[in-house]
Amino acid sequence: MSTNGSKKRVSIQAPADAPTRSKAPPRRSMGPRQQSLPAFTPDNYSSDEDDKFFHDHEKNAAALTTTTKKKGDDDNEETTPGSGWTNGQVPPQFTPTMTLHPYTRSGRLMLYSHHRRWINFQSSWSRIGKGTTELDAVHKESSSGQSIMTGCLIDEAKTVRALVAQLCECFYKHGWATGTGGGVSIRVGGPSENRPYRIFVAPSGVQKEDMVGDDVFELDMERNVVAPPKTPMLRQSACTPLWYVVYKRVPSAMCVIHTHSMYAQLATLLDPTEKSDVIRITHLEMLKGVGNHSYDSVLEVPIIDNRPTEDLLAEQLDAAILKYPKCNAVLVRRHGIYAWGDSWEQAKAQCESFDYLFETAVKMKGMGLDSGVVPVSGTYRDEDVEMDDGGSNSPPAKRQKTEEGPAFNGSSATNNDADLECSDKTDVPIVPRDSKVLLLDIEGTTTSISFVKDVLFPYVLKNLESYVDKMTDEMKKTTLAELIADVEALDANHVVKQMNLQHTIIDIVKALMGSDVKATGLKSLQGKMWKSGYASGELVGHIYSDFLPMLDWCKANDVKVCIYSSGSIAAQKLLFKHTEKGDITEYFGGRHFDTTSGSKKEAASYQTIASALGVKPEEVVFVSDLEAEIYAARDAGMRAVVSVRPGNAPLSVETKKEFPIVRSLLQLCGNAN
């Protein structure tokens, strides 16, 4: 540093053999250094400046190493796996002038003019495939340029190995491959190129941000090792069996990516029961990025359950691909995602798009919105345009999973998209302004319509035999008598009475549940079994995300919340005591009603409940998803409101005109003024 405190200028000297820089020519005269590079074509790619630089200096470096090599230098050779640049050694050909190359204006211009940042073995790529346009709503195939490997399989293998390492580093930076998790495989060759397939796979248990091409395996389609990695003591990725499932089931797949993305994992937990085998997402622009879908499609991404080791997932993955052929990914619950494409670029782009959609779905859930439901408003819709069906070999695009089934207390999900889209203005009563007593149904209002059908009922059938085996003789005798009474109370022409039933608990329960009979003895047994399931933690009660905030509002504003359900009072309390949000029974103050107060389809039942609450019927707001109950409550004098949730039974035109409709219970909450 100079004594006067000013900064000292430092210049970087050119190498001794470098030509002396002459004075720059006038701007009007274009000197040789200002001339543009030759236009890029696949034919001249191999003679591009960067290739010549590296090939020339490889020879120079080898000669320099030979002349200056000292004893003990073998351990630091660049060809030794794990040494070289990563250990601080910079090859001599990289002079200060060259290391500054990307930071000069001319260097940046050269870099961004024709040097792509990704290592590749083809000249270009586009998400828009052959025969399609940039304006198509759905893109299925990607478009790749010409090969730049000029028939040299050794160069191709070296390039693909390096590309696998580069992708793994990229996914690590995304947070998708931390802790050595995740991986990439790329397939090249095949019948279209008149040569066997070769598959390059990442290794297992290595730091993905520090991978090099020398770590990558080259395999054939039978998983035989064609060329092992140069780095010793490595094993193939644990994902390898699953990559092969995709390659054999999806012939067009040329790359499969596995990540441990946080949002992919959280997306598998949006269903708190963890029973769902699919997540649905619709009306998001990034749906175009996952292939086979447009903005207004309903994307269905299959979910399979995790296993102790990844190879055990192969059978489930294969079944999921067959069931959902339009989707280019499969989620693994509490684990991550497998995504694929017809090129590595497409697989990467789709993996990024899936992650964007999963993050959106998770954050929508926190806002009380369902990513699988068509928005009520705020989006263009052309009712006459049919959704793409994915081709003759694919099932029609679904707007929502539908399933025929009985009405209440064990109903299946039904297609009610028309109700979810309903935009008619209705006079929704507000608490506490219009009422200080809320009477709520459970299924289809506070809880998913299919919770009983898809969770509670299967639990009974699955555990029935073991539960009966543990009963005492006295319990068996009492339970059987109650079930026989249920059967005898049925109409003479009822299908159950036509069965040749054995008078056993198991036979009668299966017959009654199979015919959707709601009877006292059966409900009693179901309630006892559910109590056992909730106590063990195997059952967790489902409630919609808006229910608890609504309960807090009502508590703060002195509004009484009561429950009226076809399920027994004991079953109601069990559900609300064991929800994913914990025990919420305190909010109801013991105000539970079931069919002992009368049928939910009769007006007299609602008058009985109002009397029990010590209020007039007109002072009560009743909310339910079923039309028969809504009409009965109105006939009794109550203010009836229809609950519209995904999967609820469709509403008639008359009901939508006559009754206020809410899609969230928070719509009932407002100022007292």
Side-chain angles (χ1 to χ4, degrees):
M1 182 177 292
S2 60
T3 56
N4 59 9
S6 62
K7 295 183 178 178
K8 184 177 180 180
R9 295 176 61 91
V10 178
S11 62
I12 299 175
Q13 299 297 325
D17 58 348
T20 304
R21 181 183 295 272
S22 61
K23 183 177 179 181
R27 296 184 64 85
R28 64 178 179 274
S29 174
M30 180 171 274
R33 288 184 178 272
Q34 293 175 303
Q35 293 176 1
S36 61
L37 292 167
F40 166 79
T41 67
D43 293 333
N44 71 10
Y45 186 91
S46 61
S47 62
D48 198 23
E49 276 193 4
D50 56 352
D51 282 346
K52 288 195 293 182
F53 172 81
F54 283 110
H55 284 115
D56 290 345
H57 281 283
E58 280 177 0
K59 296 178 181 178
N60 295 338
L64 181 63
T65 301
T66 302
T67 58
T68 61
K69 190 172 181 180
K70 298 177 181 179
K71 185 178 180 180
D73 281 352
D74 287 346
D75 294 336
N76 291 322
E77 287 187 357
E78 195 180 342
T79 56
T80 302
S83 65
W85 297 7
T86 56
N87 288 347
Q89 177 185 343
V90 179
Q93 67 267 31
F94 277 81
T95 63
T97 301
M98 284 309 302
T99 58
L100 289 177
H101 170 86
Y103 304 103
T104 63
R105 181 184 182 280
S106 60
R108 291 197 302 273
L109 182 61
M110 184 184 299
L111 177 66
Y112 287 99
S113 291
H114 71 283
H115 292 274
R116 297 190 185 277
R117 268 68 71 202
W118 282 98
I119 302 165
N120 205 347
F121 49 94
Q122 291 180 318
S123 60
S124 63
W125 176 83
S126 171
R127 182 171 62 91
I128 302 169
K130 183 179 180 181
T132 60
T133 75
E134 70 277 8
L135 298 179
D136 290 337
V138 177
H139 298 290
K140 299 180 180 180
E141 299 177 354
S142 66
S143 175
S144 295
Q146 296 172 272
S147 173
I148 57 177
M149 293 291 101
T150 63
C152 181
L153 299 184
I154 295 176
D155 280 352
E156 180 188 65
K158 182 177 181 181
T159 301
V160 177
R161 289 172 184 269
L163 177 58
V164 169
Q166 190 180 19
L167 286 165
C168 286
E169 180 185 31
C170 170
F171 297 150
Y172 172 83
K173 292 177 179 178
H174 284 330
W176 298 351
T178 55
T180 78
V184 176
S185 71
I186 296 177
R187 179 162 68 164
V188 299
S192 64
E193 299 181 24
N194 196 29
R195 60 185 174 117
Y197 282 118
R198 289 291 181 261
I199 299 176
F200 295 83
V201 302
S204 179
V206 302
Q207 302 289 339
K208 294 301 186 288
E209 74 277 20
D210 196 40
M211 267 186 60
V212 293
D214 288 344
D215 298 336
V216 177
F217 287 82
E218 181 180 350
L219 312 175
D220 63 16
M221 279 299 290
E222 303 303 320
R223 284 193 62 187
N224 298 310
V225 177
V226 176
K230 292 182 180 179
T231 307
M233 305 299 292
L234 292 181
R235 294 176 298 172
Q236 297 174 29
S237 170
C239 312
T240 304
L242 304 183
W243 289 333
Y244 273 77
V245 168
V246 178
Y247 289 134
K248 292 180 179 180
R249 184 59 68 186
V250 186
S252 63
M254 299 301 284
C255 176
V256 187
I257 297 168
H258 172 51
T259 80
H260 290 181
S261 156
M262 178 61 71
Y263 284 109
Q265 178 183 208
L266 292 176
T268 68
L269 303 176
L270 290 177
D271 171 17
T273 68
E274 299 191 47
K275 299 291 185 181
S276 175
D277 62 356
V278 70
I279 176 177
R280 296 181 179 83
I281 302 174
T282 187
H283 282 72
L284 292 174
E285 179 65 16
M286 286 296 281
L287 285 166
K288 295 179 181 178
V290 301
N292 301 318
H293 293 80
S294 64
Y295 163 77
D296 54 356
S297 299
V298 174
L299 169 67
E300 294 184 309
V301 186
I303 303 173
I304 61 177
D305 289 329
N306 199 21
R307 303 290 294 276
T309 59
E310 301 212 30
D311 59 300
L312 298 177
L313 296 170
E315 186 176 338
Q316 296 178 72
L317 178 64
D318 188 55
I321 294 172
L322 284 173
K323 187 175 180 180
Y324 296 94
K326 283 186 64 177
C327 187
N328 294 317
V330 171
L331 286 164
V332 184
R333 204 181 317 275
R334 295 176 176 264
H335 184 154
I337 184 175
Y338 284 85
W340 53 88
D342 62 17
S343 63
W344 71 265
E345 297 100 328
Q346 188 192 54
K348 172 180 172 289
Q350 291 181 168
C351 198
E352 292 167 346
S353 299
F354 276 116
D355 200 69
Y356 178 97
L357 294 171
F358 297 148
E359 180 177 357
T360 303
V362 169
K363 292 184 176 180
M364 286 178 68
K365 177 79 170 183
M367 298 167 63
L369 301 175
D370 188 335
S371 63
V373 174
V374 177
V376 176
S377 60
T379 186
Y380 172 82
R381 46 173 60 78
D382 187 344
E383 301 298 343
D384 296 329
V385 177
E386 293 185 359
M387 298 172 65
D388 175 67
D389 64 1
S392 58
N393 294 327
S394 301
K398 301 176 183 178
R399 302 186 69 182
Q400 186 165 314
K401 185 178 180 181
T402 62
E403 188 178 324
E404 297 297 329
F408 183 67
N409 199 6
S411 301
S412 299
T414 311
N415 190 333
N416 67 333
D417 285 340
D419 300 337
L420 293 168
E421 295 179 11
C422 176
S423 59
D424 294 342
K425 292 184 178 180
T426 54
D427 184 18
V428 177
I430 302 298
V431 296
R433 183 192 68 188
D434 301 321
S435 174
K436 285 206 169 187
V437 180
L438 269 181
L439 183 62
L440 303 177
D441 179 29
I442 293 181
E443 292 173 278
T445 301
T446 70
T447 299
S448 169
I449 189 69
S450 60
F451 176 69
V452 172
K453 177 75 173 181
D454 296 341
V455 179
L456 295 185
F457 281 1
Y459 176 84
V460 170
L461 294 174
K462 176 184 176 181
N463 295 281
L464 183 59
E465 292 187 16
S466 61
Y467 186 83
V468 171
D469 287 343
K470 296 176 183 177
M471 285 182 169
T472 65
D473 291 341
E474 186 62 30
M475 290 174 62
K476 290 179 181 179
K477 182 178 179 181
T478 302
T479 301
L480 181 58
E482 292 174 348
L483 293 171
I484 292 174
D486 289 343
V487 174
E488 292 176 348
L490 298 173
D491 293 337
N493 296 325
H494 196 283
V495 64
V496 173
K497 281 202 168 182
Q498 308 305 315
M499 298 178 182
N500 185 21
L501 287 176
Q502 299 293 323
H503 277 198
T504 66
I505 294 175
I506 294 173
D507 282 355
I508 296 177
V509 168
K510 289 182 177 180
L512 292 175
M513 292 184 67
S515 301
D516 194 42
V517 174
K518 310 298 187 299
T520 304
L522 176 62
K523 285 185 180 181
S524 175
L525 176 60
Q526 290 171 332
K528 293 172 183 176
M529 292 188 65
W530 291 334
K531 182 177 181 180
S532 175
Y534 283 121
S536 68
E538 188 172 351
L539 291 176
V540 178
H542 172 262
I543 57 172
Y544 285 112
S545 58
D546 56 270
F547 187 37
L548 187 55
M550 186 225 70
L551 291 175
D552 286 329
W553 169 270
C554 291
K555 183 177 180 180
N557 289 274
D558 196 27
V559 176
K560 293 181 179 179
V561 180
C562 318
I563 301 297
Y564 183 24
S565 171
S566 295
S568 68
I569 291 175
Q572 296 173 27
K573 291 181 177 180
L574 280 172
L575 189 156
F576 292 130
K577 185 175 182 179
H578 300 277
T579 75
E580 60 262 36
K581 299 295 184 181
D583 185 351
I584 62 172
T585 53
E586 63 171 324
Y587 289 96
F588 311 114
R591 296 179 291 270
H592 293 265
F593 301 92
D594 59 12
T595 51
T596 58
S597 297
S599 169
K600 295 186 72 179
K601 299 179 181 180
E602 297 178 1
S605 305
Y606 298 88
Q607 293 171 340
T608 299
I609 291 174
S611 177
L613 293 172
V615 297
K616 297 178 181 179
E618 54 266 30
E619 296 176 25
V620 180
V621 173
F622 174 65
V623 186
S624 176
D625 65 307
L626 290 184
E627 293 178 324
E629 298 174 5
I630 293 298
Y631 279 95
R634 185 186 67 175
D635 291 345
M638 291 185 179
R639 303 188 66 167
V641 177
V642 182
S643 170
V644 173
R645 301 283 198 179
N648 284 4
L651 301 174
S652 66
V653 175
E654 293 75 15
T655 297
K656 288 191 282 188
K657 287 181 178 180
E658 294 185 33
F659 293 92
I661 293 175
V662 294
R663 298 168 184 83
S664 166
L665 293 176
L666 287 171
Q667 291 178 252
L668 300 168
C669 304
N671 293 327
N673 297 328

